[in-house]
DNA sequence: ACTTAATCGAGACGGTACGTCCAGTCTTTCG
DNA sequence: CGAAAGACTGGACGTACCGTCTCGATTAAGT
């Protein structure tokens, strides 16, 4: 799949080859790429979103600014790459065949991710930026959110397949009601999101659909 | 009554008096204050959050930069004042004595506010910035969100008073489940929030509590 | 003689009367005037010419800016007033009836004034500013330099009157040759001006005119 | 050879190389440097010392402010560079082997330079600033005045070598007496400095040392 | 005594320039 | 050809003073 110059690039052989040189005719420097992503991540955690600058990244990664501009176009582009590299597999819901358990574990995991992890910090920063930049919001959805929402729906889809839930379930609206309150607390109210709260959400979902 | 530098000042007599002079020991220029708030608002709607700069506000308000810095410390401070001035009373839920109707109207109003109004544009921009600036997040809560959440709870509180809902209802968690999905669509997924969706939320709330 | 609003005002009765009030229809506040002049002087000595600002003078004199602008138009105007108040009588050459002695004492006094006194510091600062502002140069000459040059000529004039020097002596050119080298060292080279040097100037003057 | 940030750079090959690029690792833009110096010069002559601002220079040179701050620290620093570039060789006294003639020509040249030339205007402005800034006074001496005084002494040194003047002549003090009166008229009194006056100075010098 | 008028401290106002930071572009040299 | 280096234009930052203004209080002179 082609994702343009800002993509995290291919994998395997190409990356392995790139790893062996620093700036020559054989493609981009994997070393520089990693240094940039790590520097961006580090700066965000250390100094916050505003403290992340292209110049700061360049100097703290020991990389020329031009090298950054060659592969990325904005600092959020970099942060998104950094985020994707770290966090892609983190939020896949479990599948133990038990809706209650899987849903509870997933929502709890989501809450922990958003409020406790470095990756979550990067992600909420990117969500914040998305409010200021509709184009970036689109990129964020295309490169992460759409996929994540698909993963969020998995427990419901599985349950539908198992016959635990009706086939005509509006999973989009249901997921909104499951994760929406969590995002609301994280992004809007700042209230803590404890296990009791995520379990309440699950419970209400189950009662709504007379499961059990 | 508020006294901080960013306060929107009192109203009535005090403001009328201030309107008569442009800069002396007895108060700031109301003319300059209004021009700044309107310029900030206008720039945000016209050019987006990034396009709002103190210099831009100053020049488009016909005001000296120093005058801005005398009364506000950041552009978000200005935008918050502008937002509060316009939108404070906009989101008060109706009280017709009918929980279903009041709740439905309020959530629909909230969705319209967030997705269709200029004030909503300012507000989501401020929410976005709050993700990058914890201190500002605190200010935003203290100056707007806490009060707004109190208003969001009103329909439930009223119903509790009327005996339609149990007295021990966890209104905070309930409101999270009512408005959370709306904020989620607005801030995260970008999905439209139509009346059917807000009504679904109300419906689920009512079913949850076996009202009717 | 009328010197305009920036003049150091009259003396005697008028000043005494003014001293008794602080701001009323008839006359300025002598207290404010003194405080301004002293503040300006103090700031110059403490922080240098660039460190003297109207705002700095106002705040360190405990005076309103407007009060300053009511009576002076520029900071150099204030400094000139301050200088004139302190230093008017300081540089009058002695008249012992002995040209050699009087001239030697006067030139030495001039050197001390320029290099050692606070008034000299103010004066050289004003001379510096005069290089940047021809209008001020004119004022400085009218209010001080012309008179001072007249005083500088006194020893020669006296000697001419006594018959020690020819009546057709070009005293202007002679004074240039006597004080010019001193100013040159002070303003241009920064070399010290010791008694040996001023005595050399006197000696050469005397030899030039075969006195003794 | 000079290496400081304010240096006028070398000449010849090095400058030729620099002229070919506009900003890269191997040197500054000669185009920008020249434009800044010329703009500063022009603004001084056109609007006076106070009218010279870094922003004014930048905009009239078509150069970014940062480029100026990269290479100079103050406007006087720029003016000094501009002055040195134009005027270094201008004030070398002639050497015809005739003391009277050489001295007369040189002093006359100095007077013309100070009172008539654009370079002289810049120079007196710098001398004025030197009265307000001892550090700059030091720089001005190190970068120009010391060398100029050496040049001013040349006619005397040559005459000493030729045996026309005694070997133990205090050339420093003599030069003070030759040029001091000229500077005095230019910087202090504002009197014109005509050829008669400079010739008088020469004449008095010669008589002082019984030459001829 | 009462009004009038000029002064005072205070401080907000519209501006200009300061010196700094960062954005994004460009040019060169090296490997 | 990519990378490091770093100079370039440009725009916004937040600060310091400028010179102007308006206010409320104070005080003397003229009525």
């Amino acid at each position: 799949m082609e994702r343009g110059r800002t993509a995290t690039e291919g994998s395997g052989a190409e990356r392995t080859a790139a790893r062996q040189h620093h700036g020559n005719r054989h493609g981009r420097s994997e070393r520089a790429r990693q240094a940039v992503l790590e520097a961006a991540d580090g700066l965000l955690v250390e100094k916050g979103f505003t403290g992340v600058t292209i110049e700061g990244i360049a100097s703290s990664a020991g990389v020329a600014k031009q090298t950054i501009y060659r592969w990325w176009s904005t600092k959020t582009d970099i942060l998104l790459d950094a985020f994707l590299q770290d966090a892609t597999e983190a939020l896949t819901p479990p599948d133990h065949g038990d809706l209650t358990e899987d849903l509870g574990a997933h929502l709890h995991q989501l809450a922990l991710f958003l409020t406790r992890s470095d990756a979550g910090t990067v992600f909420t920063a990117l969500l914040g930026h998305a409010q200021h930049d509709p184009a970036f919001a689109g990129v964020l959805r295309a490169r992460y959110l759409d996929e994540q929402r698909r993963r969020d729906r998995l427990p419901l889809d599985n349950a539908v397949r198992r016959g635990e839930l009706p086939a005509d379930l509006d999973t989009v609206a249901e997921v909104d009601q499951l994760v929406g309150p969590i995002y609301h607390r994280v992004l809007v109210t700042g209230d803590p999101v404890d296990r009791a709260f995520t379990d309440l959400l699950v419970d209400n979902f189950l009662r709504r659909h007379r499961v059990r």
Side-chain angles (χ1 to χ4, degrees), chain A:
Chain A
M1 186 208 283
E2 172 55 37
R3 289 217 211 74
R5 292 160 63 96
T6 62
T8 312
E9 296 290 330
S11 52
E14 183 188 340
R15 191 126 87 204
T16 309
R19 197 168 280 131
Q20 293 163 11
H21 41 72
H22 287 208
N24 53 29
R25 61 197 343 177
H26 309 291
R28 70 193 282 192
S29 158
E30 175 62 13
R31 186 194 121 300
R33 190 183 144 276
Q34 271 304 333
V36 166
L37 298 184
E38 277 157 27
D41 236 340
L43 284 172
L44 183 90
V45 169
E46 183 195 346
K47 309 210 252 175
F49 184 79
T50 313
V52 179
T53 63
I54 300 278
E55 295 215 321
I57 294 169
S59 89
S60 105
V63 142
K65 261 196 331 178
Q66 186 55 42
T67 301
I68 294 182
Y69 282 108
R70 210 178 337 259
W71 302 107
W72 295 275
S73 49
T74 62
K75 73 173 180 177
T76 44
D77 206 11
I78 303 172
L79 287 168
L80 179 50
D81 266 17
F83 169 69
L84 290 175
Q85 171 159 308
D86 293 0
T88 302
E89 69 275 24
L91 274 177
T92 303
D95 184 8
H96 298 105
D98 178 47
L99 178 58
T100 308
E101 193 186 325
D102 289 355
L103 217 42
H106 183 53
L107 293 191
H108 181 55
Q109 207 56 38
L110 173 63
L112 288 180
F113 162 74
L114 289 174
T115 58
R116 299 262 178 269
S117 68
D118 280 359
T121 302
V122 178
F123 178 59
T124 55
L126 293 177
L127 268 180
H129 179 68
Q131 311 308 316
H132 301 152
D133 182 346
F136 178 76
V139 172
L140 181 58
R141 281 177 203 126
R143 298 238 276 145
Y144 176 71
L145 276 170
D146 291 345
E147 179 58 31
Q148 182 54 39
R149 289 174 75 199
R150 226 166 288 138
R151 281 193 291 268
D152 290 337
R153 279 199 299 272
L154 275 182
L156 305 191
D157 290 339
N158 291 338
V160 167
R161 208 179 322 105
R162 280 186 243 114
E164 293 181 56
L165 288 173
D168 65 345
L169 187 73
D170 182 349
T171 48
V172 169
E174 292 301 335
V175 166
D176 281 334
Q177 290 176 83
L178 285 165
V179 306
I182 297 171
Y183 277 103
H184 181 239
R185 289 204 164 176
V186 172
L187 300 178
V188 182
T189 71
D191 285 348
V193 187
D194 57 17
R195 181 84 204 210
F197 185 64
T198 56
D199 283 348
L200 173 66
L201 296 173
V202 175
D203 207 47
N204 281 338
F205 169 81
L206 297 174
R207 297 227 304 267
R208 200 146 68 225
H209 300 287
R210 336 236 158 211
V211 179
R212 184 141 340 148

